[in-house]
Amino acid sequence: MTFLENHVLFPKRFGIMPYFWAFSLIALSSQSLFEKNSFNWILFSLLLIFLKLYRDGYEINRLLPLQIVGQLIITTYLVYEYNLGTLFIFTAWEIGSLPFKNKQFYRYTAIYLIFSILCISGNILVNFKSYGIYGIIITAVFAVGSPFAARSLGNSYRRMYRLKQNNKRLETIIKQNERERISKDLHDNLGQSFSLITLKAELADKLMDKNAEQARQEIKDIAATSRDDLSLVRQIVSDLNQKSIAEAMIEEENNLRIVNIIQQSNNEKVSATWPIKIQNVLAAIIKEASTNIIKYSKAHTATFDFGQDHDYYTLDISDDGVGYKKVRKDSFGLTGISQRLSDINGVIDISSDHGTILKIKVKKAD
């Protein structure tokens, strides 16, 4: 497996794209390989060498100049002997895909352009009629533009990869901070309380025979402290169960994506400052609505529109699915949602002309 990873397989971070190009190379050259009713071993050997240089060139290494130039030399020969000018695009996209600094990118691109333009120009002069004016324009555009198009696409992939990695790191940091907060709450609140209970229990044991009345009082204090601790634990658990709108949106985006429904969110950032009690209720409603969209809507897109004015917080949840011909009272768990909203002075309106729309309004506290 190590041999395959080091010498045959492409680096994993490039995904399946290099394999697509390699398969395309085989498909493009297959006709030339079997011309004249015999297998062209020279062409086959050159293509293998090209593929090896192409594969190794997907990593920046000290032999990269030789790998790039080697590809270009082989392609130049194959252009004149077999008219395989499309191989230049392979090298162009490889150059654009590598994480070069600008100076390095322009240096390799210049080498590529010198080889490709001179070679293609010479081939066009020899076979001008077969190219035609439009063929010449298309060939020139692809030859010159491919490295820059590939670099733009590669930069986009790298930005997306870095964003994904940073999001994972932030999730880890948030979880760690939450663990530390819980640990501090338990230590500061329950730790001292349990120490007090231990001391009172030891004191009650000593007083049992000497002063029964005082011992009973200590036991009563232990019971009261235990009840307070139980209430505190319940409060901590309740706080842990509370969920922000941002957390709910992340979870439901993952759930919607599993069934190929796209989540769209507009003006979500305004909800970050809403009271935690309101966020907790709306987070539960977001989950309920998303579940029903997945089960019943047959939608392609679910849209969440957030807003606020002087008097209300608003959330509109809509989908582009089949909707309902007649809205039932219990549609979309409306009873449960209405009950949740009543606890925070909110109301809901549901319609289903095109898809289904939930319009939620929560009155701000005076």
Side-chain angles (χ1 to χ4, degrees), residues 94-152:
E94 182 170 78
I95 291 172
S97 298
L98 290 168
F100 286 132
K101 295 181 179 178
N102 286 338
K103 187 175 181 180
Q104 291 175 300
F105 169 73
Y106 289 123
R107 184 188 305 141
Y108 281 102
T109 300
I111 296 171
Y112 159 79
L113 289 175
I114 291 171
F115 270 90
S116 61
I117 291 175
L118 289 177
C119 182
I120 293 173
S121 298
N123 196 39
I124 288 174
L125 291 174
V126 174
N127 304 287
F128 182 82
K129 291 183 179 180
S130 62
Y131 275 89
I133 186 65
Y134 292 109
I136 292 172
I137 293 173
I138 292 172
T139 303
V141 168
F142 269 91
V144 175
S146 289
F148 300 97
R151 183 167 176 80
S152 176

Side-chain angles (χ1 to χ4, degrees), residues 35-144:
E35 280 184 349
K36 300 178 182 179
N37 298 321
S38 63
F39 189 77
N40 192 328
W41 287 102
I42 295 177
L43 174 58
F44 179 74
S45 300
L46 289 173
L47 289 174
L48 282 182
I49 296 172
F50 180 90
L51 273 174
K52 176 60 177 171
L53 294 172
Y54 177 68
R55 182 267 169 209
D56 292 348
Y58 261 97
E59 294 276 10
I60 295 179
N61 60 85
R62 60 187 179 85
L63 297 177
L64 185 60
L66 294 177
Q67 291 158 356
I68 296 296
V69 172
Q71 291 178 54
L72 294 171
I73 291 173
I74 292 174
T75 302
T76 300
Y77 174 79
L78 295 179
V79 167
Y80 285 107
E81 289 296 323
Y82 303 99
N83 200 28
L84 291 175
T86 49
L87 265 66
F88 277 118
I89 297 177
F90 287 76
T91 307
W93 279 82
E94 182 170 78
I95 291 172
S97 298
L98 290 168
F100 286 132
K101 295 181 179 178
N102 286 338
K103 187 175 181 180
Q104 291 175 300
F105 169 73
Y106 289 123
R107 184 188 305 141
Y108 281 102
T109 300
I111 296 171
Y112 159 79
L113 289 175
I114 291 171
F115 270 90
S116 61
I117 291 175
L118 289 177
C119 182
I120 293 173
S121 298
N123 196 39
I124 288 174
L125 291 174
V126 174
N127 304 287
F128 182 82
K129 291 183 179 180
S130 62
Y131 275 89
I133 186 65
Y134 292 109
I136 292 172
I137 293 173
I138 292 172
T139 303
V141 168
F142 269 91
V144 175

Side-chain angles (χ1 to χ4, degrees), residues 52-250:
K52 176 60 177 171
L53 294 172
Y54 177 68
R55 182 267 169 209
D56 292 348
Y58 261 97
E59 294 276 10
I60 295 179
N61 60 85
R62 60 187 179 85
L63 297 177
L64 185 60
L66 294 177
Q67 291 158 356
I68 296 296
V69 172
Q71 291 178 54
L72 294 171
I73 291 173
I74 292 174
T75 302
T76 300
Y77 174 79
L78 295 179
V79 167
Y80 285 107
E81 289 296 323
Y82 303 99
N83 200 28
L84 291 175
T86 49
L87 265 66
F88 277 118
I89 297 177
F90 287 76
T91 307
W93 279 82
E94 182 170 78
I95 291 172
S97 298
L98 290 168
F100 286 132
K101 295 181 179 178
N102 286 338
K103 187 175 181 180
Q104 291 175 300
F105 169 73
Y106 289 123
R107 184 188 305 141
Y108 281 102
T109 300
I111 296 171
Y112 159 79
L113 289 175
I114 291 171
F115 270 90
S116 61
I117 291 175
L118 289 177
C119 182
I120 293 173
S121 298
N123 196 39
I124 288 174
L125 291 174
V126 174
N127 304 287
F128 182 82
K129 291 183 179 180
S130 62
Y131 275 89
I133 186 65
Y134 292 109
I136 292 172
I137 293 173
I138 292 172
T139 303
V141 168
F142 269 91
V144 175
S146 289
F148 300 97
R151 183 167 176 80
S152 176
L153 186 62
N155 286 339
S156 296
Y157 282 145
R158 282 187 283 273
R159 282 193 295 269
M160 290 174 62
Y161 176 78
R162 287 196 295 269
L163 180 62
K164 186 176 180 180
Q165 290 296 101
N166 285 336
N167 286 340
K168 288 182 178 178
R169 293 176 188 132
L170 286 173
E171 287 180 13
T172 301
I173 292 171
I174 291 170
K175 290 177 181 178
Q176 180 61 35
N177 289 341
E178 188 65 13
R179 283 195 292 267
E180 291 176 357
R181 183 186 69 80
I182 295 169
S183 175
K184 186 174 185 301
D185 285 347
L186 293 174
H187 178 271
D188 292 347
N189 295 298
L190 294 182
Q192 294 179 4
S193 181
F194 285 147
S195 297
L196 179 62
I197 288 174
T198 301
L199 290 174
K200 284 183 172 294
E202 291 174 349
L203 178 59
D205 181 61
K206 292 178 181 178
L207 293 171
M208 193 66 68
D209 297 329
K210 298 179 181 179
N211 192 334
E213 186 62 32
Q214 188 176 351
R216 280 194 293 272
Q217 184 59 47
E218 293 297 337
I219 293 172
K220 289 180 181 179
D221 290 344
I222 292 173
T225 303
S226 297
R227 283 192 294 270
D228 291 341
D229 288 347
L230 180 59
S231 297
L232 179 60
V233 169
R234 286 172 175 168
Q235 182 60 48
I236 292 174
V237 172
S238 176
D239 291 341
L240 290 176
N241 288 331
Q242 288 188 343
K243 187 176 295 183
S244 68
I245 287 173
E247 290 173 318
M249 291 295 288
I250 290 172

Side-chain angles (χ1 to χ4, degrees), residues 17 88 91 113 139 217 262 275 278 287 310 322:
M17 185 59 72
F88 277 118
T91 307
L113 289 175
T139 303
Q217 184 59 47
I262 298 171
I278 291 174
K287 179 177 179 60
H310 186 267
V322 296

